[in-house]
């Protein structure tokens, strides 16, 4: 019934007004040690999402120790001065909750979903492992085997995983986004206690962390608990500015062909270097977000209509853009050819559709339809405190602000057809691209 009521509201109410009324209250403050705190209130259920985000991901690793950020994420589930190895997750489960962690290019995050009255305990344990992790060589050896097996499962045993890794490495000539988050295998095999602790001591500090608490909580209570548990932890004065190698001017398009006997569905993929969302200047990213939806966001998208329904040359198409990153992101096109269509033919057809799009533009009604769908998704996301916490955490660790997150829906809504065409003209520069073919192994004659 609740979903039905929301659907009726969407049909009868101007979308912008619905989004404005659905926004969850957000409060923020900073502890004396520099730790940022964000509180997102949702009092409909007595649960809470507790997340600690570190402004440290795989792109912040030193050269030669790729995978150490993800490795350390695993190691934080080992013991501390007060918790035995594995005890953290056991305590969360014993209190009826769930916990996990993840590492990306720009952040590492640890999260627990528990009953609201267990928030005190979660902060106690999470603040403990921010500074008191205890590791030995046995922990290192055991967990190194775990992450190597994870790489086997996600990458080595997946032709698509290996292909994506090669595509990413070819797109970035110098920036660490070209290095896989999980790490290069030959470097992962050498990760040791010193590499893990060096990363931990530098980046796991309150002045490099953001605490996000979403759910049935009040800001004053979150402040009291945060000051109690995180407040006594000293800042790291040697943290310094976040700095990474930058991309040189890209002057030549790149092409790769990856063949693997396990490939059953060949496809063509192209990645373009693309700008990220910048604080106070999100308009281009908003235009690229909508461009991805128009070109490849579903059955009615430009690529799908032309290549799948009209020309019968593809069984699947897509376009994608990740706006939320600290540094330059990517815009991608993806085509799975129909039976009897070669990858070369599929690529030519894809390029022809893009060229026609650039020459003729698109129907403005399609833009309004996509905007409305995005507004609806924004509303539905309000029902998920975990999704809300992640939205803010991803943004803040990628250099955006709370005001940027709040402004994003209106910025997207203000994008015009001309804005999208200008963004397309900027991003579709083959000199800043890599085109890849994923193919079966050649049959020897």
């Amino acid at each position: 019934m609740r979903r039905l009521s929301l659907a009726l509201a969407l049909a009868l109410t101007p979308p912008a007004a619905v989004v404005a009324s659905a926004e969850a209250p957000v409060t923020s403050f900073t502890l004396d040690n520099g730790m940022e705190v964000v509180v997102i209130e949702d009092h409909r259920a007595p649960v809470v999402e507790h997340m600690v985000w570190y402004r440290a991901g795989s792109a912040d690793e030193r050269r030669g120790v790729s995978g150490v950020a993800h490795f350390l994420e695993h190691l934080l589930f080992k013991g501390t001065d007060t918790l035995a190895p594995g005890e953290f997750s056991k305590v969360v489960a014993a209190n009826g909750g769930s916990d996990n962690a993840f590492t990306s290019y720009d952040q590492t995050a640890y999260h627990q979903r528990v009953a609201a009255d267990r928030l005190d305990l979660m902060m106690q344990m999470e603040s403990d492992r921010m500074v008191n992790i205890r590791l030995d060589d046995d922990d290192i050896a055991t967990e190194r085997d775990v992450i190597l097996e994870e790489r086997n499962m996600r990458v080595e045993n997946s032709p698509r995983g290996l292909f994506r890794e090669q595509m990413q490495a070819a797109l970035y000539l110098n920036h660490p986004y070209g290095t896989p988050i999980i790490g290069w295998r030959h470097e992962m095999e050498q990760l040791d206690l010193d590499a893990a602790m060096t990363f931990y001591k530098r980046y796991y500090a309150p002045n490099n962390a953001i605490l996000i608490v979403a759910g049935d909580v009040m800001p004053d209570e979150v402040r009291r608990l945060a000051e109690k548990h995180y407040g006594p932890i000293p800042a790291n004065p040697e943290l310094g500015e976040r700095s990474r190698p930058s991309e040189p001017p890209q002057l030549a398009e790149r092409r790769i062909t990856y063949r693997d006997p396990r490939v059953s569905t060949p496809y063509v993929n192209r990645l373009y270097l693309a700008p990220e969302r910048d604080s106070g200047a999100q308009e281009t990213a908003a235009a690229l977000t909508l461009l991805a939806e128009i070109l490849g966001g579903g059955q009615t998208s430009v690529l799908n209509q032309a290549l799948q329904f009209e020309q019968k040359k593809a069984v699947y198409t897509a376009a994608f853009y990740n706006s939320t990153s600290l540094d330059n992101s990517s815009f991608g096109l993806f085509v799975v050819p129909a039976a009897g269509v070669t990858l070369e033919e599929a690529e030519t057809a894809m390029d022809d559709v893009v060229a026609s799009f650039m020459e003729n533009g698109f129907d403005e009604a399609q833009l309004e339809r996509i905007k409305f769908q995005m507004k609806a998704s924004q509303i539905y996301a309000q029902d998920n405190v975990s999704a809300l916490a992640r939205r803010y955490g991803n943004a803040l660790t990628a250099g955006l602000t709370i005001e940027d997150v709040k402004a994003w829906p209106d910025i997207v809504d203000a994008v015009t057809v001309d804005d999208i065409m200008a963004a397309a003209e900027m991003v579709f520069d083959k000199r800043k691209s890599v085109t890849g073919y994923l193919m079966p192994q050649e049959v020897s004659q």
Side-chain angles (χ1 to χ4, degrees), residues 268-308:
V268 58
N269 181 202
R270 180 176 298 143
L271 297 178
Y272 295 90
L273 201 66
E276 75 285 357
R277 282 168 67 185
D278 288 323
S279 182
Q282 303 182 86
E283 289 77 11
T284 298
L288 289 172
T289 298
L290 289 165
L291 175 64
E293 289 297 316
I294 291 164
L295 285 178
Q299 293 294 306
T300 61
S301 66
V302 170
L303 283 170
N304 204 61
Q305 286 290 308
L307 298 184
Q308 185 170 353

Side-chain angles (χ1 to χ4, degrees), residues 68-320:
V68 70
H70 173 250
F71 185 38
L72 182 60
E73 173 214 313
H74 278 245
L75 291 169
L76 249 71
F77 289 89
K78 298 295 184 179
T80 69
D81 289 342
T82 59
L83 294 171
E87 187 178 357
F88 190 108
S89 293
K90 291 178 182 178
V91 171
V92 174
N95 281 271
S98 60
D99 76 314
N100 214 325
F102 59 87
T103 304
S104 189
Y105 289 114
D106 298 318
Q107 58 273 128
T108 308
Y110 301 83
H111 54 100
Q112 305 89 39
R113 184 177 175 87
V114 293
D117 62 359
R118 301 298 193 272
L119 180 60
D120 187 9
L121 177 60
M122 295 304 104
M123 287 199 192
Q124 175 188 327
M125 294 196 299
E126 195 66 78
S127 61
D128 179 37
R129 68 176 174 180
M130 180 181 283
V131 288
N132 293 323
I133 191 71
R134 292 292 174 262
L135 302 171
D136 58 30
D137 288 333
D138 288 340
D139 294 325
I140 295 297
T142 300
E143 213 57 41
R144 188 169 54 217
D145 287 343
V146 171
I147 62 169
L148 286 168
E149 182 56 30
E150 184 178 340
R151 181 180 166 88
N152 285 338
M153 294 174 58
R154 295 187 177 186
V155 183
E156 312 293 354
N157 293 337
S158 168
R160 291 185 65 176
L162 289 165
F163 176 67
R164 284 194 301 267
E165 190 174 81
Q166 294 296 308
M167 287 286 291
Q168 192 78 3
L171 180 63
Y172 292 95
L173 303 177
N174 190 50
H175 193 280
Y177 286 167
T179 300
I181 294 169
I182 198 168
W184 297 115
R185 185 179 187 90
H186 68 286
E187 292 182 350
M188 295 168 65
E189 291 171 343
Q190 303 302 316
L191 291 175
D192 57 18
L193 180 60
D194 180 66
M197 292 305 296
T198 297
F199 196 87
Y200 178 70
K201 290 176 181 178
R202 177 172 180 81
Y203 292 113
Y204 281 54
N207 53 322
N208 198 44
I210 302 168
L211 169 64
I212 299 183
V213 181
D216 189 21
V217 291
M218 298 299 294
D220 288 347
E221 178 64 6
V222 173
R223 181 190 288 271
R224 184 185 71 81
L225 293 176
E227 289 177 343
K228 171 184 173 184
H229 295 293
Y230 295 105
I233 301 173
N236 177 9
E238 299 179 359
L239 184 62
E241 293 294 323
R242 205 169 183 183
S243 176
R244 297 163 171 177
S246 59
E247 275 296 290
Q250 296 196 356
L251 306 176
E253 66 174 298
R254 282 131 285 156
R255 304 186 66 86
I256 68 170
T257 299
Y258 178 70
R259 292 183 178 273
D260 193 300
R262 299 168 293 179
V263 173
S264 58
T265 305
Y267 61 81
V268 58
N269 181 202
R270 180 176 298 143
L271 297 178
Y272 295 90
L273 201 66
E276 75 285 357
R277 282 168 67 185
D278 288 323
S279 182
Q282 303 182 86
E283 289 77 11
T284 298
L288 289 172
T289 298
L290 289 165
L291 175 64
E293 289 297 316
I294 291 164
L295 285 178
Q299 293 294 306
T300 61
S301 66
V302 170
L303 283 170
N304 204 61
Q305 286 290 308
L307 298 184
Q308 185 170 353
F309 295 118
E310 297 171 12
Q311 302 179 27
K312 312 295 184 185
K313 291 184 177 180
V315 295
Y316 180 77
T317 65
F320 46 90

Side-chain angles (χ1 to χ4, degrees), residues 9 16 30 36 39 49 66 90 114 120 140 149 189 309 369 391 396 398 401 422:
T30 302
E36 295 181 34
V39 183
E49 185 85 10
S66 63
K90 291 178 182 178
V114 293
D120 187 9
I140 295 297
E149 182 56 30
E189 291 171 343
F309 295 118
R369 184 166 59 251
R391 180 190 304 168
L396 296 176
T401 66

